[in-house]
Amino acid sequence: MSATVEKTYYTESELAEFEAIIHRKLDATNSEIEFISRTLSRKDDNGTDNTAVGSKTLEDGADMREKERLSQSSGRLKKFASQLEAALIRIKNGTYGICKDTGKLIPAERLRAVPHTQQTIEAKLARK
C-alpha cells in the first residue's frame, strides 16, 4: 500500500501561470481605476448635455450620487489592486498558495479563480 504524498508547494511553471493571471487582473484593475479617476476629475464639465436650466437641481443630486458610486468603486478597486500586488510579493518570497490558517496548499483551481486569496475555501468558511 503506497501512501500519497501531499503536495506542499507549487512548481516554478505553476507559479509563472499564477503570476501571469495576477498581472492580467492587475492591468485590467489599474485601467479601470484610471478610467474612474479621469471621469471623476472632469469638474464642471457641462459640455452640450447641460442646456436645460429647470432640471439643474435634480441633475446635481444625480451627479453627486454617481460621483459617490464611482468613488466607492475606485476604493474597492484600489484595495483589490493592493491585494494582487501582495500576491505577487508572496510569489517572490515563496509563500504564495499556502493557506495562512492551515499551512496547506490552496488548490490551483481556487487560485485561478481568486489569485489573491490566502486561504483554502475550508479555512475561509471556518472563519465565518
Side-chain angles (χ1 to χ4, degrees):
M1 186 163 144
S2 70
T4 328
V5 177
E6 189 172 324
K7 188 175 178 177
T8 58
Y9 63 92
Y10 285 108
T11 65
E12 292 282 328
S13 63
E14 290 169 320
L15 289 174
E17 174 193 352
F18 297 133
E19 188 171 7
I21 291 168
I22 292 168
H23 278 293
R24 280 193 303 273
K25 286 185 180 269
L26 190 56
D27 289 345
T29 301
N30 285 332
S31 292
E32 200 166 340
I33 291 168
E34 178 61 30
F35 175 78
I36 290 172
S37 294
R38 283 194 315 270
T39 302
L40 288 173
S41 69
R42 293 184 187 146
K43 297 177 186 149
D44 301 323
D45 180 17
N46 293 334
T48 57
D49 294 335
N50 195 8
T51 56
V53 177
S55 63
K56 182 74 172 136
T57 305
L58 291 174
E59 287 176 7
D60 285 346
D63 285 348
M64 288 303 291
R65 279 193 305 278
E66 182 64 12
K67 285 180 182 180
E68 180 64 27
R69 188 188 65 76
L70 286 171
S71 227
Q72 289 173 346
S73 288
S74 179
R76 283 190 298 273
L77 288 168
K78 286 176 182 176
K79 181 179 178 184
F80 181 57
S82 170
Q83 292 170 333
L84 290 170
E85 288 166 355
L88 290 172
I89 292 169
R90 289 193 302 278
I91 286 175
K92 298 292 182 230
N93 71 20
T95 59
Y96 183 80
I98 300 168
C99 180
K100 68 180 183 175
D101 295 329
T102 66
K104 293 181 178 181
L105 202 61
I106 300 168
E109 299 78 30
R110 177 158 168 73
L111 291 172
R112 286 184 189 105
V114 188
H116 60 285
T117 190
Q118 296 184 63
Q119 296 173 294
T120 60
I121 194 69
E122 296 79 16
K124 182 172 177 77
L125 292 174
R127 289 189 128 193
K128 286 188 175 184

